[in-house]
Amino acid sequence: MMKFQGSHILSVSQFDREAIEKILQVSNAMIPYAARQKRCHVLEGAILNNLFFEPSTRTRVSFGTAFNLLGGFVRETVGEENSSLSKGESLYDTAQVISGYSDVIAMRHPKMHSVSEFAEGSSVPVINGGDGANEHPTQALLDLFTIQSEMSSHQRGIDNLNIALMGDLKHGRTVHSLSKLLSLYNNVHVTMIAPDALQMPDGIISTLENAGHKVTVTDKIEGNLGCDVIYQTRIQQERFSSLEEADKYRGHFSLNKKIYQQYCQDHTVIMHPLPRDSRPEANELDTDLNDLQNLAIFRQAQNGVLVRMALFALTLGVEDKLTQYEKPITWHTNK
């Protein structure tokens, strides 16, 4: 079993299935705290430094929220221009300094493998919040938690899953990491729907196939959405050389209620790592899907808090002490 306490969380490749099951189990235990049914102050006095050198809303805020919900304090640096990296300081030197101020660090950076480079200089656990087009391990974990949660209502699990990944699969780090996690399960059928130029990297397809899974590669929606889960991704504009290049592919795989009713099963769950691009020229997931019960994108975002709470608890070694530090809620947001 993986030793979580004191460990960096940098890549999904460091997990086996036993470690994944542990993370999902602890994530589930966080539901009462995230739902404000109880308070937990097990990390009271601990400090998270949130270092986000690339734009982010959900990931950055959910990391901070997760730490706060366990009683900890959050310090934030947003934008490389607001750090000493803009003065030429190395990632290693920055890590040496910031880790001395912290108990754990969450970091996002636009350069691939930069978080691993930073972690080499850190004396405390570092959690990867996304490093360029490389990986986004916490997103993959929350995606897996969401799939498990959504499938459980149909008495299903992740084994034997039929999932379609659709959109910019070349640059979408979320689908890269999720595919690697799915390779740990049994008898998964993954349909890759993308233009040839934006198709999933061969290495990730090979990882799935070498694990014994069926992979279908296609550039057509028709006949390929009769699955358990559709995971839609946006065109990763920031990964293209120009706006004009990104615009070539925008809007190719839009999903609306008409298409859903025509090609999907009644139980097909729709997921998206957000933000969805709702501009008319893209319109990845139409707003006419908002009242669809199987649209799981907002539940998916909320699950990010649970998973990040679990990772903080595990890396700081308090996952078995949660109930000892519970308190009742003293405020109420409902009328």
Side-chain angles (χ1 to χ4, degrees):
M1 176 77 173
M2 173 183 171
K3 178 181 177 291
F4 283 98
Q5 186 174 348
S7 296
H8 303 307
I9 305 297
L10 302 175
S11 168
V12 295
S13 300
Q14 69 193 89
F15 303 128
D16 58 15
R17 182 157 174 175
E18 186 180 11
I20 295 298
E21 297 294 346
K22 180 65 174 179
I23 294 169
L24 299 185
Q25 173 197 337
V26 178
S27 300
N28 202 60
M30 298 299 180
I31 291 175
Y33 314 126
R36 313 301 198 272
Q37 296 164 357
K38 303 174 184 176
R39 284 192 292 158
C40 182
H41 59 107
V42 69
L43 293 183
E44 186 173 6
I47 295 175
L48 162 70
N49 255 296
N50 237 5
L51 305 180
F52 274 69
F53 301 125
E54 186 177 54
S56 170
T57 302
R58 274 152 296 278
T59 303
R60 178 176 58 83
V61 174
S62 68
F63 265 118
T65 298
F67 207 72
N68 287 151
L69 285 170
L70 292 174
F73 299 109
V74 180
R75 300 289 180 266
E76 289 199 333
T77 300
V78 179
E80 190 167 330
E81 68 278 6
N82 296 319
S83 77
S84 289
L85 293 173
S86 65
K87 303 174 184 177
E89 185 173 55
S90 68
L91 287 169
Y92 180 90
D93 286 4
T94 302
Q96 284 277 304
V97 174
I98 298 298
S99 61
Y101 305 153
S102 317
D103 295 287
V104 63
I105 295 168
M107 182 178 177
R108 170 173 283 190
H109 195 282
K111 181 182 172 185
M112 292 177 65
H113 309 298
S114 54
V115 180
S116 297
E117 182 182 342
F118 179 92
E120 291 177 5
S122 176
S123 58
V124 301
V126 175
I127 301 178
N128 185 357
D131 57 337
N134 183 41
E135 278 209 55
H136 196 349
T138 64
Q139 179 71 46
L141 290 166
L142 76 88
D143 290 340
L144 206 65
F145 183 90
T146 301
I147 292 170
Q148 178 175 275
S149 175
E150 297 293 324
M151 291 297 100
S152 66
S153 62
H154 301 289
Q155 291 73 53
R156 298 276 306 281
I158 300 172
D159 289 326
N160 305 307
L161 183 75
N162 186 348
I163 182 171
L165 307 179
M166 184 163 71
D168 184 354
L169 306 186
K170 176 181 179 179
H171 301 105
R173 60 191 172 195
T174 65
V175 288
H176 298 173
S177 295
L178 177 59
S179 295
K180 292 175 184 177
L181 287 186
L182 289 173
S183 71
L184 299 175
Y185 288 79
N186 300 316
N187 192 35
V188 177
H189 179 194
V190 185
T191 301
M192 312 284 193
I193 306 173
D196 289 344
L198 299 184
Q199 192 49 262
M200 186 71 80
D202 291 342
I204 294 174
I205 293 175
S206 296
T207 296
L208 287 162
E209 290 180 333
N210 292 340
H213 302 311
K214 180 181 178 182
V215 178
T216 300
V217 176
T218 181
D219 61 357
K220 293 180 173 58
I221 287 179
E222 297 82 1
N224 291 304
L225 297 184
C227 50
D228 301 309
V229 175
I230 298 169
Y231 192 106
Q232 170 77 287
T233 67
R234 68 182 176 87
I235 298 300
Q236 305 282 308
Q237 179 179 312
E238 63 275 25
R239 313 287 176 218
F240 285 80
S241 58
S242 68
L243 176 61
E244 292 74 23
E245 180 71 14
D247 283 342
K248 290 181 185 178
Y249 303 103
R250 221 182 290 276
H252 281 211
F253 298 112
S254 298
L255 187 61
N256 56 34
K257 188 173 286 187
K258 181 179 178 181
I259 292 173
Y260 183 91
Q261 292 171 340
Q262 184 174 358
Y263 295 115
C264 299
Q265 300 186 66
D266 290 342
H267 70 272
T268 300
V269 172
I270 301 171
M271 295 174 59
H272 190 296
L274 298 181
R276 60 174 166 175
D277 191 340
S278 297
R279 290 172 291 187
E281 65 269 23
N283 198 28
E284 298 159 355
L285 295 178
D286 198 292
T287 54
D288 70 359
L289 294 165
N290 285 358
D291 61 356
L292 188 74
Q293 178 58 31
N294 291 335
L295 183 73
I297 60 175
F298 301 119
R299 296 191 291 274
Q300 185 181 352
Q302 295 302 317
N303 289 339
V305 174
L306 301 176
V307 168
R308 290 168 181 132
M309 290 174 76
L311 291 175
F312 287 136
L314 287 161
T315 55
L316 295 177
V318 299
E319 72 276 10
D320 296 326
K321 301 175 183 176
L322 302 175
T323 55
Q324 299 172 37
Y325 290 87
E326 286 182 355
K327 290 182 178 180
I329 289 290
T330 56
W331 70 91
H332 302 277
T333 55
N334 296 328
K335 292 181 180 179

